[in-house]
Amino acid sequence: MRSNRIPARPLRHLAALFLLVFVAVEARAQLQIEIVQGNAAQLPIAIVPFHWRAAGPPPINTVSSVVSADLYRSGLFAPVKEEDMVDRPADAESIRFGTWRLLKVDYIAVGYVNDNAAGGYDIVYQLFDVNTQERLLSQVTSVGPGDLRFGSHRVADAIYEKLTGVPGAFATRIAYVSATGEGAGLRYELVVADADGYAPITVVGSPEPLLSPAWSPDGERLAYVSFEAGNSAIYVQEVTTGARELVSSGRGINGAPAFSPDGRWLALTLSRSGNPEIYVRNLDSGETRQLTSHWAIDTEPAWSPDSRTIYFTSDRGGKPQIYSVPVGGGNADRITSQGDSNARASVAPDGRSMAIAHGQGNEYRIAVWDLAVQRLRVLTPGRLDESPSFAPNGSMILYATREGTRGVLAAVSADGNVRQRIILSEGDVREPAWSPVIR
């Protein structure tokens, strides 16, 4: 048995680069996820309630319920409802495979939760192929006393990877900007929550707009734009401690920060030369280099996975399109060509494609641009979909959309077969960013 120990927009008008309008609301509440379109070929799986063998009462949200919910919202699995389970085995010897085959279940996960010597919990679990009775996984995930839900996401990640061949992304977080209140009481918050919307935490709040959150590759810091001092400024802030550093606050535009995959550099948009251009800043030395030089607006930089190329949005061709420039310097090349506009690139982890906000007429939808074959595929049906952000495993794309007059979040699978609506019961949310896998 193996042990895994875990320590405790699109810019519709680029001239309005930093204008963000929020609907007046009264309070922020926890996110909820609703599947609005699924995959017809979902895998039937039973996540049997893990037996609670630890001291004290079990949590309201049990390990098995979190794992089932994670797999369900991927759109690839059809977990058996707990009330439809005829048995509640905790180990291999107790599984009656014939019974589960009659229920047309392909896979079954069983396990239990123990206290461990470190004061936390051990999640002990096994995954079986019901038809062959083969054991596919046998693992222990150890977590601190307050990390049982995070450990449950790690269990879901392991099951997802074993059955799909793709690493899971459930043990991740999302960042987004929320606005609450109205008039003089309007308040902006940069919020971080688990990928399933659980446990939202305000990282920073301000009566002035907050924009463009971007995760560091280790998932420990967020870069963002704040107007709290009157002008736009870029900060880098540690998520857990709240410690932050002012990175750029020069006259004019300071915006659209993006960490390099190695965490050493920050790409950003500055107008210190009088026009918005793409720059890169060494976070250790403070050295800042200008990469683009054009009369047009260049903004929204995004790094290639190998850190050699930066993709960005520019209207140098008349309307916003995606261009690329070598990090070492050189000429910019146009990448996208279809539609009236394409903006806000988020590069897939494998570097083969990018999610973009695709504009056609007065409609803006999330699309994927295949970099190899230069082909566009529209994924969403909305009219005002923007700010795409790839999951770290490349399977889903988080984005902002509108529901009536309110901003909400949604997600779509990279192949367009699964769509989710992420409901915030109260509040207007924009600017989502999906974190890397939290280790």
Side-chain angles (χ1 to χ4, degrees), residues 105-436:
V105 174
D106 289 345
Y107 302 96
I108 184 171
V110 298
Y112 55 89
V113 179
N114 273 342
D115 293 314
N116 62 30
Y121 302 101
D122 286 337
I123 305 173
V124 184
Y125 67 100
Q126 300 177 81
L127 175 69
F128 293 88
D129 184 314
V130 171
N131 295 303
T132 65
Q133 301 186 28
E134 177 187 2
R135 183 173 15 231
L136 303 177
L137 283 176
S138 182
Q139 296 188 174
V140 178
T141 295
S142 299
V143 297
D147 293 331
L148 191 58
R149 190 179 184 92
F150 176 67
S152 303
H153 292 314
R154 291 297 300 272
V155 172
D157 281 343
I159 293 173
Y160 181 93
E161 182 171 8
K162 187 65 181 180
L163 297 181
T164 68
V166 177
F170 305 116
T172 58
R173 309 182 85 182
I174 59 175
Y176 57 92
V177 175
S178 172
T180 58
E182 57 183 352
L186 184 61
R187 180 174 176 80
Y188 301 86
E189 295 180 343
L190 175 55
V191 181
V192 169
D194 290 352
D196 60 356
Y198 185 81
I201 298 172
T202 298
V203 175
V204 63
S206 173
E208 301 299 331
L210 300 168
L211 298 171
S212 305
W215 289 93
S216 63
D218 58 8
E220 296 181 358
R221 295 170 293 167
L222 277 169
Y224 60 90
V225 177
S226 173
F227 281 80
E228 63 195 73
N231 187 47
S232 61
I234 297 174
Y235 292 88
V236 172
Q237 181 163 333
E238 294 182 11
V239 175
T240 55
T241 68
R244 68 175 186 169
E245 175 188 1
L246 177 62
V247 172
S248 181
S249 61
R251 189 174 65 177
I253 291 173
N254 301 270
F259 283 97
S260 64
D262 60 10
R264 296 177 53 218
W265 297 82
L266 196 69
L268 55 163
T269 299
L270 304 176
S271 61
R272 58 172 58 175
S273 64
N275 201 61
E277 306 286 359
I278 303 300
Y279 290 75
V280 290
R281 177 186 175 92
N282 187 297
L283 290 173
D284 292 327
S285 67
E287 172 199 356
T288 302
R289 291 189 291 109
Q290 183 175 342
L291 292 187
T292 66
S293 181
H294 199 276
W295 54 262
I297 295 175
D298 295 342
T299 186
E300 299 176 340
W303 296 79
S304 64
D306 62 7
S307 298
R308 296 180 179 178
T309 303
I310 286 181
Y311 300 96
F312 64 97
T313 304
S314 177
D315 64 347
R316 59 182 63 193
K319 293 184 178 181
Q321 294 291 343
I322 304 298
Y323 292 75
S324 69
V325 64
V327 173
N331 295 326
D333 295 320
R334 182 167 169 171
I335 301 298
T336 55
S337 57
Q338 298 181 27
D340 291 341
S341 66
N342 295 287
R344 195 64 175 267
S346 175
V347 183
D350 62 8
R352 297 176 181 176
S353 62
M354 62 175 64
I356 54 178
H358 172 71
Q360 187 69 49
N362 292 322
E363 296 183 344
Y364 299 88
R365 297 174 177 174
I366 303 304
V368 167
W369 180 265
D370 189 308
L371 290 165
V373 300
Q374 301 289 291
R375 183 174 58 200
L376 182 83
R377 184 156 46 95
V378 177
L379 303 182
T380 65
R383 293 185 175 182
L384 292 173
D385 301 338
E386 58 186 5
S387 303
S389 178
F390 256 111
N393 64 357
S395 65
M396 300 289 292
I397 299 164
L398 184 67
Y399 64 97
T401 186
R402 299 206 71 81
E403 191 174 73
T405 59
R406 181 181 61 167
V408 299
L409 302 185
V412 63
S413 60
D415 60 10
N417 290 333
V418 178
R419 286 191 294 113
Q420 305 169 7
R421 182 173 50 174
I422 305 175
I423 304 165
L424 190 62
S425 58
E426 294 177 337
D428 189 275
V429 296
R430 314 299 295 166
E431 306 272 302
W434 208 321
S435 83

Side-chain angles (χ1 to χ4, degrees), residues 81-93:
K81 294 181 180 179
E82 188 173 330
E83 58 266 30
D84 294 335
M85 296 182 184
V86 295
D87 286 328
R88 305 293 174 90
D91 50 42
E93 292 72 23

Side-chain angles (χ1 to χ4, degrees), residues 67-98:
V67 174
S68 290
D70 282 347
L71 296 177
Y72 169 71
R73 65 188 176 87
S74 75
L76 301 180
F77 295 88
V80 176
K81 294 181 180 179
E82 188 173 330
E83 58 266 30
D84 294 335
M85 296 182 184
V86 295
D87 286 328
R88 305 293 174 90
D91 50 42
E93 292 72 23
S94 304
I95 300 175
R96 296 189 294 178
F97 287 99

